[in-house]
Amino acid sequence: MNYEIHPSGSTPIFRQIIDQVKRFIASGQLRSGDTLPSVRTVALQHAINPMTVSKAYNMLESEGVLVRMRGVGMVIAEQRNTAQDKTDLAMPAMLNAALVARQLGLNKAQALKLFEQALKTTEDESKKNAD
C-alpha cells in the first residue's frame, strides 16, 4: 500500500492520509487486521514530517478506524463496509468537481467526458505504477 501525497495541494497532508486510508478500507484494499506502514516509513518515503503521519494515524485511531497493537503498529480495526460508505467518501470530491465544471460553464456532456478522461488517466497511472 502506498499513499499518494501532494505536498503542494490545498488539502493538508495529514488529511490526505486520513482520506486515503478510509478509501482503501471502503474499497476493500485494506481489511480488518491489516497493518499500516510505520510512521517512519511513510515519512521517509514521502519526505514529510513524521509528526504529520502520526497526527493522521492518531486521528484515525480516535475515530475507531485504527487500533494500536503493541509490537505490531497500527492495524485496521473491525470494519463494516457498505456501499453507502463509498458514496459518503466520494461525494465531497464529486461536489467539488461539479462546482468547478459549473463555474467554468461546462455542460453536463463536457463534464462527464472530462470525468471519463480523468478516470482513464488514473487507471493508466495505476497500471504504470504497478509495473
Side-chain angles (χ1 to χ4, degrees):
M1 188 196 81
N2 193 15
Y3 300 118
E4 198 169 306
I5 305 296
H6 301 282
S8 60
S10 62
T11 304
I13 293 172
F14 78 91
R15 174 56 52 194
Q16 292 178 46
I17 294 170
I18 290 169
D19 293 345
Q20 287 179 56
V21 168
K22 289 180 177 181
R23 288 192 296 261
F24 287 142
I25 292 168
S27 70
Q29 294 176 62
L30 285 175
R31 301 185 193 301
S32 300
D34 287 349
T35 305
L36 290 182
S38 71
V39 168
R40 180 181 294 160
T41 299
V42 175
L44 288 173
Q45 186 176 28
H46 296 284
I48 57 177
N49 190 321
M51 293 303 292
T52 301
V53 182
S54 183
K55 178 179 181 177
Y57 283 9
N58 287 335
M59 291 179 79
L60 286 163
E61 182 182 24
S62 70
E63 291 178 22
V65 175
L66 300 179
V67 176
R68 190 179 308 270
M69 302 287 286
R70 180 180 218 110
V72 176
M74 298 305 269
V75 175
I76 305 298
E78 192 64 37
Q79 300 294 317
R80 50 144 189 77
N81 280 341
T82 66
Q84 186 62 44
D85 291 337
K86 291 180 183 181
T87 302
D88 291 346
L89 289 170
M91 187 54 84
M94 297 297 122
L95 289 171
N96 187 52
L99 176 65
V100 169
R102 291 236 183 258
Q103 289 172 343
L104 291 171
L106 300 177
N107 63 36
K108 184 177 178 179
Q110 292 170 315
L112 289 173
K113 183 176 180 182
L114 281 174
F115 184 69
E116 288 174 354
Q117 288 174 346
L119 282 174
K120 180 163 180 7
T121 299
T122 60
E123 288 170 5
D124 292 346
E125 288 177 9
S126 291
K127 288 176 186 175
K128 187 169 64 173
N129 290 336
D131 293 339

